Amino acid sequence: MNTAVFLCLYEEKYKEDLLAFELPPEQAAFTGLPEETLSEALANPDKSAVVIARKEQAVGFFILHRGEGIADFYPNTTGAILLRAFLINYASQGQGLARAAMEQLPGFIRTHFPLVREIVLAVNARNIAAASLYSRAGFLDKGLRRSGHKGPQKVLQYGLGGTLAEVRSASEFM
């Protein structure tokens, strides 16, 4: 099983692959397909579309969102980036690609967003598979919760360098 994937900022060459992504209804209930989220992400300067690619084919996608627009998800917006709309195309699932992408995420963010000190995400409380993936990747459940339009969500955190307490203290002075 070849799980050699890489993360890259969106390039037009991946558009056709991304717009062809499919998910079964039980997964689509928890995330937006690129056909629903890509245009807005490209138009918003606080959002970055990221492709999970294997060889030259897009196999997954997510959005990184920073700035005041993430306050509904996480009040400490300074130094934080929100992972949104994470998915692996249904045809590529079950091959360890999501796990491989999550392993690369901290380094990718350090490279492309060097001022970011914390990754946060919101996962629907009913989305057990995604919550397990994020937990195995090192995201911590510190008890933060929010109400989403599809039900209660857990807000998970991943500190990049230093403890989360140190990150919060440092971000107050930025």
Side-chain angles (χ1 to χ4, degrees):
M1 190 179 320
N2 181 2
T3 59
V5 298
F6 61 93
L7 306 180
C8 63
L9 294 172
Y10 172 80
E11 296 176 39
E12 191 70 22
K13 69 181 181 179
Y14 295 113
K15 185 175 184 176
E16 187 176 330
D17 288 344
L18 293 172
L19 296 181
F21 276 17
E22 295 180 344
L23 290 176
E26 63 273 12
Q27 291 179 22
F30 298 121
T31 191
L33 288 165
E35 71 181 38
E36 302 161 344
T37 61
L38 180 61
S39 294
E40 198 276 330
L42 295 175
N44 185 329
D46 288 337
K47 293 183 179 180
S48 297
V50 181
V51 175
I52 304 166
R54 180 170 49 184
K55 298 181 181 173
E56 289 300 313
Q57 181 180 12
V59 295
F61 177 77
F62 59 91
I63 295 168
L64 293 172
H65 189 178
R66 60 206 170 282
E68 295 300 317
I70 71 170
D72 288 345
F73 290 86
Y74 193 65
N76 185 19
T77 61
T78 304
I81 198 163
L82 177 67
L83 174 68
R84 307 182 78 152
F86 183 90
L87 70 117
I88 299 295
N89 186 26
Y90 188 63
S92 299
Q93 290 182 9
Q95 301 172 36
L97 304 178
R99 183 179 203 142
M102 293 304 291
E103 289 171 359
Q104 293 179 35
L105 181 62
F108 180 85
I109 290 176
R110 284 183 187 105
T111 298
H112 294 281
F113 308 95
L115 298 178
V116 169
R117 297 290 169 248
E118 184 176 19
I119 309 167
V120 294
L121 61 86
V123 62
N124 189 288
R126 295 179 292 126
N127 194 346
I128 307 297
S132 177
L133 168 72
Y134 301 138
S135 177
R136 287 191 314 268
F139 281 83
L140 302 176
D141 182 352
K142 300 280 188 164
L144 296 173
R145 300 292 183 264
R146 72 179 293 274
S147 293
H149 63 279
K150 296 180 182 174
Q153 297 180 323
K154 298 176 182 180
V155 177
L156 306 181
Q157 303 162 262
Y158 186 105
L160 295 171
T163 65
L164 290 177
E166 290 169 357
V167 169
R168 284 199 186 102
S169 295
S171 70
E172 292 172 6
F173 300 104
M174 295 175 99

